Amino acid sequence: MVVVGTSGELPERDRHVVELVAKFRQMTRGQLQTTVFAENASATPLDRTLKRLVEQKHLTRLARLVGGDKGGSAQYVYQLGRAGWKLLDKPGAYWAPRAVNLHTLAVADCYTWLKQAEHRDELEVIQFTTEPECHQSVGSVLLTPDAYVEAGNRAEQVKRAYWLEVDRGTEHVGTLKEKCSRYQDAYRLWQDTYFPQVLFVVPDEQRAELIRKVARGGAETLFEVRTCGNLMLC
């Protein structure tokens, strides 16, 4: 199937790749392989698609060093190109970051892990909304999570909602306390039946213990902390 955009025709899967990269702002080749090309045993369809989209300027790419500062191979990170910006009718003049954003890639990692679980029929990714669309005001409190996520399990007829906070271990304790306090204030002001759980995804268990300590004193089930790769939500 071919979809017609403002800059010409794109195959449906090509457009999906462009839209997904725009959604997360940056994605690695591996993330795109898992989320869009998981059914392909060969990497050739992905590589051909990315090469085509870069040549058409729907995407641009940055090199990310793998293996440390003293050496290693480069893995490309993809972001929206000028033609992709036009295709998706993005507002304002085109712009693109000049450096890889590791936090952005960490948020995309969370989506990738959930899609892997979906491919194993362990859950269904119902919604994954990124910034700034996931931000929400509750009374006078502005919540600014990295993403809003809904995941379900059809077999068990379960659906759960989360505010996703991806923590790379760089924020000061004071910043974490202020963030948790905002969620606690929003919880008290919430008018709907169910308040999404606040899910912190952290790099290791040491960081997890710190955030659990900071979050202590809130509603019993308000905060959940998981380490990277451990995102079984249902």
Side-chain angles (χ1 to χ4, degrees):
M1 179 179 179
V2 173
V3 179
V4 179
T6 57
S7 62
E9 296 183 347
L10 276 186
E12 185 175 25
R13 188 161 64 175
D14 284 27
R15 183 177 178 114
H16 179 46
V17 170
V18 173
E19 290 174 341
L20 198 59
V21 170
K23 177 187 184 79
F24 289 99
R25 297 190 296 281
Q26 291 183 345
M27 293 187 77
T28 66
R29 175 187 176 279
Q31 290 168 342
L32 290 166
Q33 175 73 53
T34 299
T35 55
V36 183
F37 293 82
E39 75 281 4
N40 295 109
S42 168
T44 301
L46 168 66
D47 291 336
R48 287 177 176 171
T49 298
L50 292 176
K51 182 176 184 293
R52 181 169 60 249
L53 291 173
V54 169
E55 289 175 347
Q56 295 169 348
K57 302 189 185 305
H58 287 100
L59 298 179
T60 64
R61 64 186 188 183
L62 299 167
R64 173 192 178 193
L65 192 64
V66 179
D69 296 332
K70 296 183 179 180
S73 59
Q75 175 179 301
Y76 287 119
V77 172
Y78 293 85
Q79 59 190 15
L80 205 58
R82 191 175 298 275
W85 187 280
K86 183 178 179 182
L87 175 72
L88 301 182
D89 197 25
K90 302 284 283 185
Y94 169 74
W95 71 276
R98 296 185 179 183
V100 172
N101 187 321
L102 296 180
H103 183 266
T104 290
L105 295 183
V107 176
D109 269 339
C110 292
Y111 177 74
T112 302
W113 295 327
L114 291 176
K115 293 299 287 185
Q116 286 177 320
E118 185 176 66
H119 295 153
R120 296 191 299 266
D121 293 324
E122 295 173 355
L123 55 79
E124 177 186 2
V125 182
I126 300 170
Q127 183 176 340
F128 197 109
T129 305
T130 54
E131 296 186 272
E133 288 77 16
C134 65
H135 294 177
Q136 183 170 341
S137 293
V138 182
S140 60
V141 180
L142 176 62
L143 300 179
T144 58
D146 294 309
Y148 170 77
V149 182
E150 289 185 3
N153 185 312
R154 290 185 183 275
E156 299 180 9
Q157 296 185 325
V158 172
K159 184 177 82 169
R160 294 192 174 96
Y162 301 88
W163 303 119
L164 182 66
E165 291 284 351
V166 179
D167 178 273
R168 298 187 60 248
T170 58
E171 289 187 325
H172 189 269
V173 172
T175 302
L176 293 173
K177 287 181 178 179
E178 190 274 334
K179 182 178 294 186
C180 290
S181 178
R182 274 190 283 126
Y183 281 111
Q184 290 164 353
D185 291 342
Y187 177 76
R188 286 189 284 269
L189 294 169
W190 193 252
Q191 298 295 315
D192 294 340
T193 304
Y194 299 107
F195 187 86
Q197 192 172 39
V198 183
L199 176 62
F200 281 92
V201 179
V202 300
D204 51 47
E205 190 56 37
Q206 182 178 359
R207 186 67 173 180
E209 283 302 317
L210 172 63
I211 292 182
R212 290 187 187 107
K213 182 178 180 181
V214 169
R216 200 167 294 148
E220 184 177 352
T221 60
L222 179 56
F223 298 101
E224 177 69 24
V225 185
R226 304 281 181 87
T227 53
C228 295
N230 181 26
L231 280 186
M232 281 306 300
L233 302 187
C234 291

